[in-house]
């Protein structure tokens, strides 16, 4: 039914157990966070439109009959995932070119990805100057990648993470 005294609860938690540290207080040398939306044209538009128009037919032709039958039970959810994956694949070349251009400036780049395949593709290309954090890494590996490698190693120019890494750092 909802809480009636959220403000008071927040104050009690702040006074007794919650700790909030601001980036400017902990690491003042870091520049302000920058977010940028970059629009890329999709290169596999025909494949995307086919999947968008008739997902079950698309899956039957590309993955087989059994896959299409399974997908038909949850068509809307599957359709959204397939369309996101196809859009990602269709923008990968432009994304890698953009990363190349950015890294040529000599700055470090933090990149968050939604799909493991994207993380793997980017790591494959930039593995010698990049670190990654995703669900396959242990807590120790994550700490090492972010704190020791990306932050302290001047040769590591690219950090690649998933949604969980985004929340964690």
């Amino acid at each position: 039914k909802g809480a009636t005294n959220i403000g008071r609860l927040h104050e009690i938690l702040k006074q007794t157990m919650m700790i909030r540290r601001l980036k400017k207080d902990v690491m003042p040398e870091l520049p302000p966070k920058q977010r940028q939306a970059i629009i890329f044209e999709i290169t596999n538009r025909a494949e995307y439109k086919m999947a968008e128009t008739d997902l079950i037919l698309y899956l039957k032709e590309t993955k087989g009959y059994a896959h299409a039958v399974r997908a038909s039970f949850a068509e809307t959810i599957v359709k959204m995932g397939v369309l996101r994956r196809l859009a990602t694949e269709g923008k990968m070349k432009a994304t890698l070119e953009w990363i190349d251009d950015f890294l040529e400036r000599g700055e470090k780049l933090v990149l968050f990805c939604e799909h493991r395949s994207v993380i793997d593709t980017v790591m494959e290309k930039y593995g010698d100057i990049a670190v990654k954090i995703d669900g396959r890494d242990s807590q120790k590996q994550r700490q090492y990648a972010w704190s020791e490698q990306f932050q302290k190693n001047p040769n590591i120019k690219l950090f690649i993470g998933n949604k969980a890494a985004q929340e964690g750092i």
Side-chain angles (χ1 to χ4, degrees):
K1 295 190 181 219
T4 57
N5 205 352
I6 293 174
R8 178 74 182 124
L9 175 61
H10 180 72
E11 288 303 315
I12 291 170
L13 290 173
K14 259 186 11 184
Q15 292 170 1
T16 58
M17 65 177 58
M18 282 190 344
I19 299 172
R20 179 164 187 231
R21 300 181 309 170
L22 300 176
K23 180 179 77 171
K24 67 178 177 69
D25 299 330
V26 179
M27 299 184 80
E29 69 277 7
L30 287 179
K33 186 187 303 183
Q34 297 176 9
R35 293 182 185 261
Q36 185 177 13
I38 301 158
I39 309 301
F40 294 124
E41 189 59 39
I42 190 169
T43 59
N44 58 344
R45 177 70 61 193
E47 183 181 12
Y48 183 90
K49 287 306 271 180
M50 181 182 169
E52 183 180 45
T53 303
D54 191 346
L55 175 71
I56 301 305
L57 178 62
Y58 167 80
L59 290 174
K60 187 176 177 184
E61 289 180 13
T62 60
K63 302 288 184 188
Y65 180 76
H67 195 86
V69 169
R70 282 194 310 274
S72 67
F73 293 117
E75 184 173 357
T76 302
I77 294 169
V78 172
K79 188 172 192 171
M80 290 186 306
V82 168
L83 293 176
R84 269 202 319 266
R85 182 184 55 76
L86 286 171
T88 300
E89 289 172 4
K91 296 178 180 186
M92 184 57 66
K93 182 180 179 206
T95 300
L96 294 174
E97 289 171 0
W98 183 89
I99 293 170
D100 285 339
D101 292 342
F102 184 93
L103 293 176
E104 282 179 13
R105 294 188 277 181
E107 298 179 61
K108 290 193 175 210
L109 175 64
V110 176
L111 179 70
F112 293 109
C113 306
E114 192 160 322
H115 303 281
R116 281 185 176 178
S117 62
V118 175
I119 293 172
D120 294 341
T121 299
V122 176
M123 273 303 290
E124 186 176 308
K125 179 167 183 182
Y126 301 102
D128 56 333
I129 62 163
V131 292
K132 65 128 180 115
I133 294 178
D134 65 19
R136 299 170 282 189
D137 299 317
S138 69
Q139 185 61 36
K140 189 175 182 178
Q141 289 170 313
R142 293 172 192 202
Q143 184 66 31
Y144 179 74
W146 176 252
S147 298
E148 298 302 318
Q149 288 293 92
F150 184 70
Q151 289 185 21
K152 295 179 182 173
N153 185 341
N155 298 319
I156 301 298
K157 299 292 186 187
L158 178 61
F159 172 85
I160 309 156
N162 65 357
K163 205 114 169 111
Q166 181 178 0
E167 297 302 319
I169 62 171

